[in-house]
């Protein structure tokens, strides 16, 4: 299994960090986790366009995680997809998708009539909703299980643990505060992809955010001073940080915070950074790092 960070940003706009999204792929399967802004472009850059996805899995229904779902559906159609898009997400996903498709119905029907493409199957969406922890997707050589995380006041928020045919596991936190249930689910996994809120980089700015704003946002994310502890307690083989709040920060200071609690290997994620669980090879742009065996 290979994991690709497609977008490592947050609701802040950044030309460097697109909206939150990750790709999990094996020899036979490809699953997109979350659908943040710019994900369709990142999928093409990663070599797995929306046409080739087997499923789209949503951690929760916050706007920054679902912003480009319709763009994904439409671009997959333009790419020649010949089957419906399968979307797996928390309770409420079906209603969201239904509303989204209704919103764009007139424009979509006009396109269909005028462009006369061979198939409209790609414009259909099949939704599977998650209500509880446990298995939620089985593609044969890639299986996902959901674990409820702590993103209150969002009630329906999940992380996921993916397992490939060889038994290697990758855990994805979604958005969450420090969460014992996620730690238990990720225990011993080869990879943990985890969000990161960098509290010291979020000063009060008049007209932008008050002190209570900073504390409110921090309360449902995992602080940079906590995320190393999560990886240590879960005993994971490798930690990849993503979904940074804010999008610009002191990387060396963050690395020191994480290393203070976790003595294992970790990476401060970047868009299109990828990690192969079997070879323990980390690739970004022209750089390649091979980690030693755990």
């Amino acid at each position: 299994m290979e994991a690709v960070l497609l977008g490592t940003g947050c609701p802040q706009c950044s030309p460097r960090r697109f909206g939150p999204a990750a790709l999990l792929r094996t020899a036979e399967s490809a699953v997109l986790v979350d659908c943040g802004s710019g994900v369709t472009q990142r999928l093409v850059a990663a070599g797995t366009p929306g046409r080739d996805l087997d499923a789209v899995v949503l951690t929760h229904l916050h706007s920054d995680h679902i912003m480009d779902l319709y763009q994904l559906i439409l671009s997959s159609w333009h790419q020649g997809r010949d089957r419906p898009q399968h979307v797996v997400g928390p309770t409420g996903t079906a209603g969201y998708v239904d509303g989204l498709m209704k919103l764009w119905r007139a424009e979509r029907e006009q396109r269909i009539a005028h462009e006369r493409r061979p198939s409209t199957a790609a414009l259909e969406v099949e939704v599977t909703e998650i209500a509880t922890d446990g298995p939620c997707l089985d593609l044969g050589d890639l299986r996902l299980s959901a674990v409820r995380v702590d993103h209150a006041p969002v009630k329906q928020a999940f992380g996921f643990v993916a397992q490939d045919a060889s038994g290697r596991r990758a855990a994805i936190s979604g958005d969450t505060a420090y969460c014992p249930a996620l730690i238990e689910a990720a225990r011993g996994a080869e990879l943990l992809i985890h969000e990161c809120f960098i509290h010291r980089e979020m000063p009060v700015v008049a007209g932008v955010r008050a002190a209570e704003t900073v504390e409110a946002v921090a309360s449902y994310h995992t602080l940079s001073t906590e995320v190393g502890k999560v990886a240590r307690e879960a005993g994971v083989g490798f930690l990849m940080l993503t979904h940074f709040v804010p999008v610009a920060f002191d990387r060396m200071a963050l690395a020191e915070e994480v290393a203070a609690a976790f003595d294992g290997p970790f990476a401060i994620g970047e868009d299109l950074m990828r990690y192969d669980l079997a070879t323990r090879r980390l690739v970004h742009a022209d750089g390649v790092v091979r980690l030693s065996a755990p």
Side-chain angles (χ1 to χ4, degrees):
M1 173 171 32
E2 183 179 56
V4 186
L5 301 181
L6 298 173
T8 59
C10 64
Q12 290 179 328
C13 293
S14 168
R16 179 167 182 162
R17 297 188 185 279
F18 286 8
L23 175 67
L24 301 174
R25 58 189 176 193
T26 63
E28 300 176 5
S29 306
V31 174
L32 174 65
V33 181
D34 283 335
C35 208
S37 180
V39 71
T40 53
Q41 291 87 346
R42 291 299 198 220
L43 281 166
V44 171
T48 304
R51 174 193 63 219
D52 299 332
L53 293 175
D54 294 295
V56 179
V57 178
L58 304 177
T59 60
H60 64 297
L61 299 181
H62 261 163
S63 58
D64 56 318
H65 291 255
I66 59 176
M67 187 66 69
D68 268 16
L69 180 57
Y70 189 77
Q71 171 63 22
L72 175 69
I73 294 166
L74 189 68
S75 65
S76 298
W77 178 52
H78 285 161
Q79 292 161 357
R81 186 179 176 89
D82 60 359
R83 53 184 169 144
Q85 199 70 256
H86 183 199
V87 177
V88 179
T91 302
T93 300
Y96 172 73
V97 170
D98 184 56
L100 188 65
M101 300 305 284
K102 285 180 179 177
L103 176 66
W104 291 99
R105 177 181 294 164
E107 190 268 356
R108 187 168 63 254
E109 290 177 347
Q110 184 184 65
R111 280 184 181 274
I112 292 170
H114 182 71
E115 296 180 12
R116 301 179 182 274
R117 294 179 185 270
S119 171
T120 59
L123 297 175
E124 300 172 15
V125 185
E126 299 172 349
V127 176
T128 300
E129 291 195 336
I130 307 165
T132 60
D133 293 10
C136 61
L137 181 67
D138 187 345
L139 298 174
D141 72 336
L142 186 59
R143 300 177 180 181
L144 267 69
S145 292
V147 53
R148 192 179 297 275
V149 294
D150 182 5
H151 197 41
V154 179
K155 295 181 179 179
Q156 298 291 326
F158 291 90
F160 295 96
V161 178
Q163 181 169 308
D164 65 17
S166 69
R168 296 184 181 91
R169 295 186 302 136
I172 298 181
S173 69
D175 279 10
T176 183
Y178 174 85
C179 181
L182 175 67
I183 292 170
E184 184 59 34
R187 194 171 303 282
E190 281 76 9
L191 172 64
L192 171 61
I193 299 173
H194 205 291
E195 63 127 276
C196 185
F197 183 91
I198 308 162
H199 197 279
R200 57 184 160 71
E201 301 274 8
M202 293 289 286
V204 172
V205 179
V208 178
R209 53 179 175 262
E212 56 262 38
T213 304
V214 175
E215 294 309 312
V217 177
S219 71
Y220 63 179
H221 289 290
T222 301
L223 305 184
S224 54
T225 51
E226 297 175 322
V227 69
K229 176 184 176 183
V230 172
R232 185 188 73 234
E233 293 184 351
V236 298
F238 185 53
L239 169 65
M240 293 180 80
L241 301 179
T242 189
H243 193 20
F244 297 101
V245 184
V247 291
F249 51 88
D250 183 330
R251 286 173 173 76
M252 291 306 296
L254 175 58
E256 290 176 1
E257 285 180 326
V258 176
F262 180 55
D263 60 6
F266 65 89
I268 294 174
E270 302 288 345
D271 286 20
L272 296 176
M273 180 180 283
R274 63 186 193 271
Y275 180 69
D276 188 292
L277 277 67
T279 63
R280 292 178 58 82
R281 186 172 58 232
L282 180 72
V283 179
H284 180 59
D286 294 329
V288 179
V289 176
R290 185 182 183 280
L291 304 179
S292 60

